[in-house]
Amino acid sequence: MAKPISLEKILFSQGFGTRRYCSDLVYADLVKVNGELAQDPEERLSTEGLILNVEGRDWEFHEKAYIAFNKPPDYECSHKATHHPSVYGLLPRPFVERGLQCVGRLDYDTTGLLLISDDGQFIHKMTSPKKNIGKVYEIATPEPITQKQIDHLLNGVVLDDDPKPCFATACRQLDERKLAMTIVEGRYHQVKRMMAAVGNHVAKLHRTEIGQYSMPGDLAQGEWRWLYPDDLLRLAKSVDA
Ligand code: URA
């Protein structure tokens, strides 16, 4: 069982501000612990199953944060976004304070499944090309998709910045102009460039799966949810040892 920690330290670890600020939140009667108004920022608490309520909002304690986010279009996956607003602006402030990072980026106009975490090892593992994690993209194209194009994607496409071909590891045609394609690497604009290399284009791009984790059907665009141990186990199983 985890060692009890002071409430002030717990609040700080979850991204609610400096220790001083966290302490003041308690003194201002803005913090509840498992439903009870907290009185003492120095009170030591077990973090197991701990539910905080800060300024009226419930907040589960998570030692490390792992979340799934349904990215809307027209947002950049960067803390220093330049041309469009940042996805981090759509997340609760404590996530930004505690340094959550996107696990690989999606282009500003790509929608769908994005994992976000403050666990550096997890981010590294999930983004390493050596780990062979399949990512499934649904691609809508302006031109009909031909079998020849699909064969080309599966047999490997050479992009202009690297003589080593990149492959689709699976392709499933969903309709005349829609394809679900799996890739394991994460090169710059990879899907768009692969589609252009086979003579088609991407009109819309949406990520639906990362490894064995699929976008939850009820997660609306712009919403996030915690990943729990069974989700993380599914992701861990997707990784080559
Ligand atoms: N490939 C792309 O071209 N864009 C993305 O956002 C993701 C993969």
Side-chain angles (χ1 to χ4, degrees):
M1 189 148 141
K3 211 169 128 210
I5 313 175
S6 76
L7 176 56
E8 173 201 79
K9 269 196 192 162
I10 290 173
L11 290 165
F12 171 71
S13 74
Q14 301 299 286
F16 287 103
T18 60
R19 291 198 32 194
R20 172 70 194 266
Y21 185 81
C22 290
S23 172
D24 286 347
L25 282 172
V26 177
Y27 289 128
D29 289 345
L30 292 170
V31 179
K32 287 184 186 163
V33 173
N34 298 327
E36 299 280 326
L37 192 64
Q39 312 280 352
D40 178 6
E42 295 301 328
E43 183 189 0
R44 289 180 164 270
L45 300 165
S46 159
T47 52
E48 216 153 291
L50 177 65
I51 309 281
L52 300 163
N53 180 293
V54 182
E55 296 186 88
R57 180 170 185 170
D58 278 345
W59 197 260
E60 293 173 19
F61 174 88
H62 286 258
E63 189 176 347
K64 292 278 178 204
Y66 307 91
I67 66 166
F69 178 66
N70 186 350
K71 181 189 173 295
D74 300 321
Y75 283 86
E76 291 181 23
C77 293
S78 166
H79 281 287
K80 294 204 174 99
T82 46
H83 299 295
H84 302 272
S86 163
V87 290
Y88 296 104
L90 299 172
L91 300 175
R93 183 88 204 136
F95 280 153
V96 181
E97 286 283 326
R98 68 187 277 187
L100 263 71
Q101 304 285 342
C102 293
V103 180
R105 291 183 179 191
L106 292 176
D107 295 337
Y108 83 93
D109 53 353
T110 302
T111 57
L113 181 60
L114 194 57
L115 303 180
I116 306 180
S117 177
D118 58 357
D119 179 345
Q121 273 187 353
F122 173 78
I123 296 174
H124 178 71
K125 207 184 283 173
M126 295 304 297
T127 49
S128 164
K130 289 192 199 127
K131 299 294 179 186
N132 279 324
I133 301 172
K135 282 146 301 226
V136 181
Y137 291 89
E138 281 185 11
I139 305 161
T141 63
E143 318 293 340
I145 298 157
T146 64
Q147 189 56 47
K148 200 168 157 208
Q149 289 172 0
I150 293 177
D151 291 343
H152 193 170
L153 292 164
L154 291 167
N155 290 329
V157 172
V158 175
L159 303 178
D160 48 12
D161 60 345
D162 191 342
K164 204 169 124 248
C166 48
F167 299 84
T169 54
C171 282
R172 190 162 44 92
Q173 187 150 10
L174 303 173
D175 67 33
E176 195 192 26
R177 289 156 208 263
K178 219 168 183 200
L179 180 71
M181 178 164 92
T182 310
I183 56 171
V184 295
E185 295 164 283
R187 296 199 212 168
Y188 183 64
H189 294 328
Q190 182 169 335
V191 173
K192 290 176 185 164
R193 290 160 73 214
M194 285 176 77
M195 292 307 287
V198 301
N200 209 320
H201 292 100
V202 173
K204 273 193 180 165
L205 189 57
H206 178 76
R207 185 158 68 188
T208 56
E209 287 169 47
I210 298 177
Q212 294 176 31
Y213 185 83
S214 303
M215 173 85 90
D218 58 349
L219 189 64
Q221 258 188 10
E223 287 190 352
W224 63 273
R225 87 168 34 157
W226 293 109
L227 296 178
Y228 291 101
D230 53 334
D231 301 314
L232 295 172
L233 197 64
R234 215 169 300 144
L235 285 165
K237 281 189 192 155
S238 319
V239 173
D240 275 2

